[in-house]
Amino acid sequence: MSDLKQLYQEIILDHNRNPRNCYAMPEASCSADGHNPLCGDTVKVYLRIEDGIVREISFEGAGCAICTASTSMMTESVKGKTVEEVIELFEGFHHMLTGIAEEQDVELGKLRVFEGVREYPVRVKCATLAWHTLRSALGEEADGPVSTEDS
Amino acid sequence: MSAAFDLEAIRRDFPALDQQVHGRDLVYLDNAATTQKPRAVIDAVRNFYERDCSNVHRGVHALSQRATVAYESSRTTIRKHIGAHDSREIVFTRSTTEAINLVAASFLRPRLQPGDEILISEMEHHSNIVPWQLLRESTGAVLRIIPISDEGNIDLDAYQGLLGPKTRLVGIVHVSNALGTVNPIKEMIAMAHEKDIPVLVDGAQAISHLDVDVVDLDCDFYAFSAHKVYGPSGIGALYGKRKHLLEMPPFQGGGDMILSVRFEETIFNEPPHRFEAGTPNIEGALGMATALEYIDGVGLEAIRKHEERLMKEASLRLPEVPGLRLIGQARQRAGAISFVLNGIHPHDVGTILDQEGVAVRAGHHCAQPVMQRYGLSATVRASFGLYNREEDIDALIRGLESVREVFA
């Protein structure tokens, strides 16, 4: 049970129960769809960007607790940041979970609660789906729906 | 004749069952994905490598002759197991999927005109959907879908209505991997044959749970894999009526599927070798035959009764878990039981059960259309094999209590 508590920390369960910024945004300046073909989970991320700063971010969809909480907490952590800062945060988060990206000196704050997911390799994609989708919305990934099975 | 069903003795035959996962005794409830292998199958594969390893159908030396005899005897064992009359009606394939693709490419494609119809059901596995979609794209044929009820039964009236003058093939799953539904395929085959429409049966799930008799069913094709019936992965078989196989062009070109090759002209071998290009999975075939001999030794009737008890027990006890809803409650079911827990995603359920040593499948089970039919993206699926015990259901239910604790 203790391992599971490490994975399903209270803050994750809370964001799963009450996801923040979960709504459609018709006036979004950009958006993207993400899809995890392994489980069929889908997420749509909306952004309103003004002067290179994320003024508003929201999402619809998501799936399991890890995916939903990660998406919800992502929206909280990127609001008010510049696009460059958001990309840095993506890299830092990705590195924490996979060790693939370059290690960066990024302040992850509350996002550290997802560190436990690293012990569950099949669930890493649940935690990173929203972030890949966000990067796609920012035009940093190829056009078309992003999939956790891309690269 | 089989001896009395001795569950503990059977469990001892499967070395993989005797292990711990995350500090708990393994409870393997993912048999619809793949089954564990009995010692006899492991030994059959090992013996081939240790004694008879050589190529089939060509060598004049002793090892090759032994390998050829063993390989062709495996075909005979498979024929007998499914009640076919002629070993030439058994084609070795890589899998159920490849068997279905073989029928799509060699049987159906040459017969299709634009507007012709292929009929499948709403509960098919992707392996009995995508090959027909590929065919549709290259021929202009139309894919039509037999609807199912909320309980997970085929709508036979709708099926009757869909069998039309343009239907060229019915492709139907014998036992659904996602819902556990046992389809009335004998009746469905008879209905199709009244209109001279051939029927392919996807038997991937059925083969380990039911006593399949292709002659009694009168199916035109029956596809199945070894790994779902306690045999190795990478080997499967297609049963096809001899009259069809004789008319069908080769599936792939290469060695072993020819009688003679000249640059001007090649004469193809007779079925089944016509459809088995290249060096086959010899050890796989041996393992497959040994697996079928193993379950014949236990007795399919005894296995069916045992698994029915487990299914009944699980169907009664799982709904007692608060918030649990069974998906699919068809009249007749075998092997698999699918469910969702209110407000908890199947992936989270699967991860937590795994920590308790309980292996289940969480996801869409490669049957996304049937998931959509129920408005779901995924379910949790517990699926049984001959070695499962009532204690496994206890462990599953205890695991689900842990899930509810985590999410309380």
Side-chain angles (χ1 to χ4, degrees):
Chain A
M1 259 333 247
S2 60
D3 291 348
L4 285 172
K5 291 282 183 213
Q6 197 57 36
L7 178 65
Y8 292 104
Q9 297 191 33
E10 191 47 49
I11 184 167
I12 291 179
L13 295 172
D14 174 54
H15 276 265
N16 177 49
R17 272 192 299 271
N18 304 299
R20 324 296 199 263
N21 302 311
C22 185
Y23 56 88
M25 197 195 302
E27 68 283 10
S29 46
C30 54
S31 68
D33 292 300
H35 179 221
N36 183 348
L38 294 182
C39 57
D41 288 347
T42 55
V43 63
K44 190 178 185 78
V45 172
Y46 302 90
L47 291 156
R48 186 165 58 78
I49 296 172
E50 285 166 9
D51 307 324
I53 293 170
V54 177
R55 295 293 178 193
E56 191 181 355
I57 174 167
S58 69
F59 76 98
E60 289 181 293
C64 66
I66 304 299
C67 180
T68 303
S70 177
T71 312
S72 170
M73 290 177 69
M74 175 187 81
T75 63
E76 286 197 321
S77 64
V78 304
K79 202 184 284 188
K81 288 199 163 56
T82 66
V83 170
E84 289 73 28
E85 287 169 336
V86 171
I87 297 301
E88 269 179 28
L89 205 53
F90 168 89
E91 302 283 350
F93 188 76
H94 202 248
H95 180 263
M96 174 179 77
L97 286 176
T98 63
I100 291 168
E102 284 290 298
E103 181 138 28
Q104 311 227 351
D105 191 17
V106 182
E107 187 50 63
L108 287 171
K110 281 197 286 190
L111 298 175
R112 285 261 167 228
V113 296
F114 290 100
E115 205 162 3
V117 178
R118 193 160 53 180
E119 303 303 314
Y120 301 82
V122 290
R123 306 301 302 276
V124 167
K125 287 170 178 172
C126 306
T128 55
L129 174 63
W131 286 90
H132 282 291
T133 311
L134 168 65
R135 203 169 67 157
S136 167
L138 291 171
E140 295 285 321
E141 295 203 5
D143 289 343
V146 59
S147 160
T148 53
E149 297 310 282
D150 296 341
S151 71
Chain B
M1 260 323 279
S2 63
F5 190 81
D6 182 345
L7 187 52
E8 286 313 311
I10 287 168
R11 290 183 64 83
R12 284 193 295 276
D13 290 337
F14 290 80
L17 294 178
D18 183 22
Q19 64 174 300
Q20 292 212 320
V21 170
H22 305 302
R24 307 291 184 94
D25 288 339
L26 169 66
V27 172
Y28 189 78
L29 293 175
D30 195 18
N31 293 285
T34 202
T35 51
Q36 301 302 332
K37 319 307 173 197
R39 177 69 68 195
V41 168
I42 299 166
D43 287 347
V45 174
R46 203 189 58 217
N47 285 342
F48 173 74
Y49 283 131
E50 289 182 352
R51 281 176 36 79
D52 301 337
C53 185
S54 56
N55 214 327
V56 291
H57 298 149
R58 14 192 177 275
V60 292
H61 58 79
L63 269 60
S64 177
Q65 284 174 25
R66 290 207 299 260
T68 302
V69 167
Y71 181 68
E72 290 303 328
S73 314
S74 299
R75 199 188 301 277
T76 306
T77 303
I78 293 161
R79 168 186 75 73
K80 285 182 187 157
H81 182 83
I82 60 170
H85 291 325
D86 187 338
S87 293
R88 295 173 298 178
E89 294 179 314
I90 307 297
V91 180
F92 282 116
T93 65
R94 269 195 303 130
S95 57
T96 306
T97 299
E98 190 178 67
I100 295 172
N101 277 277
L102 195 165
V103 174
S106 292
F107 176 74
L108 198 55
R109 180 189 289 272
R111 299 171 168 230
L112 282 184
Q113 298 295 323
D116 282 352
E117 295 173 0
I118 305 161
L119 192 52
I120 62 173
S121 86
E122 210 173 3
M123 69 172 90
E124 299 306 316
H125 186 282
H126 295 166
S127 62
N128 199 23
I129 301 173
V130 182
W132 312 120
Q133 288 176 326
L134 293 172
L135 211 47
R136 172 179 70 182
E137 273 147 36
S138 60
T139 63
V142 178
L143 193 57
R144 304 202 69 184
I145 311 299
I146 314 160
I148 63 172
S149 69
D150 289 343
E151 292 75 33
N153 292 309
I154 287 278
D155 182 338
L156 285 176
D157 291 336
Y159 172 60
Q160 182 69 63
L162 284 164
L163 290 167
K166 292 195 153 185
T167 314
R168 294 290 168 263
L169 183 90
V170 174
I172 179 77
V173 69
H174 196 170
V175 174
S176 156
N177 74 312
L179 305 173
T181 304
V182 179
N183 284 316
I185 56 163
K186 189 174 176 182
E187 189 181 347
M188 293 178 75
I189 292 163
M191 286 162 75
H193 283 179
E194 268 176 34
K195 301 189 174 179
D196 290 328
I197 300 165
V199 180
L200 170 139
V201 180
D202 168 359
Q205 296 296 328
I207 194 72
S208 68
H209 304 300
L210 306 177
D211 195 356
V212 174
D213 184 327
V214 292
V215 171
D216 178 56
L217 291 171
D218 198 26
C219 54
D220 296 274
F221 298 99
Y222 197 97
F224 60 103
S225 301
H227 77 98
K228 307 247 193 223
V229 59
Y230 314 107
S233 35
I235 182 89
L238 173 71
Y239 159 81
K241 281 185 178 169
R242 177 114 175 114
K243 64 173 181 180
H244 295 320
L245 295 181
L246 281 170
E247 284 181 359
M248 287 159 56
F251 175 45
Q252 296 171 328
D256 227 23
M257 50 77 72
I258 46 85
L259 288 180
S260 74
V261 176
R262 287 182 301 146
F263 284 117
E264 297 76 27
E265 185 192 25
T266 286
I267 301 177
F268 300 127
N269 206 335
E270 291 295 305
H273 306 293
R274 185 187 297 170
F275 306 106
E276 295 177 0
T279 295
N281 181 350
I282 306 165
E283 63 278 29
L286 269 50
M288 181 172 190
T290 307
L292 295 177
E293 280 165 351
Y294 179 85
I295 61 167
D296 286 338
V298 176
L300 266 163
E301 183 59 16
I303 293 171
R304 192 183 59 76
K305 278 187 181 157
H306 171 68
E307 291 177 348
E308 252 176 30
R309 271 197 302 276
L310 293 171
M311 283 290 284
K312 196 173 167 191
E313 176 90 1
S315 308
L316 282 174
R317 292 182 58 196
L318 282 170
E320 290 172 4
V321 175
L324 188 145
R325 181 162 60 97
L326 296 181
I327 304 301
Q329 307 214 49
R331 283 183 292 271
Q332 201 194 339
R333 283 186 292 161
I337 187 158
S338 241
F339 60 88
V340 289
L341 275 180
N342 195 17
I344 308 177
H345 193 279
H347 265 203
D348 296 311
V349 177
T351 293
I352 297 170
L353 288 177
D354 178 55
Q355 291 296 309
E356 305 278 322
V358 180
V360 295
R361 176 81 187 268
H364 53 57
H365 319 299
C366 295
Q368 282 181 303
V370 75
M371 294 288 111
Q372 285 151 16
R373 163 70 178 74
Y374 289 96
L376 301 165
S377 67
T379 68
V380 184
R381 180 187 68 190
S383 52
F384 300 103
L386 84 167
Y387 38 61
N388 285 116
R389 307 170 288 187
E390 285 197 18
E391 294 96 296
D392 296 346
I393 299 171
D394 298 338
L396 172 63
I397 290 187
R398 273 200 309 277
L400 292 172
E401 282 161 11
S402 298
V403 173
R404 294 186 60 250
E405 260 175 56
V406 169
F407 280 84

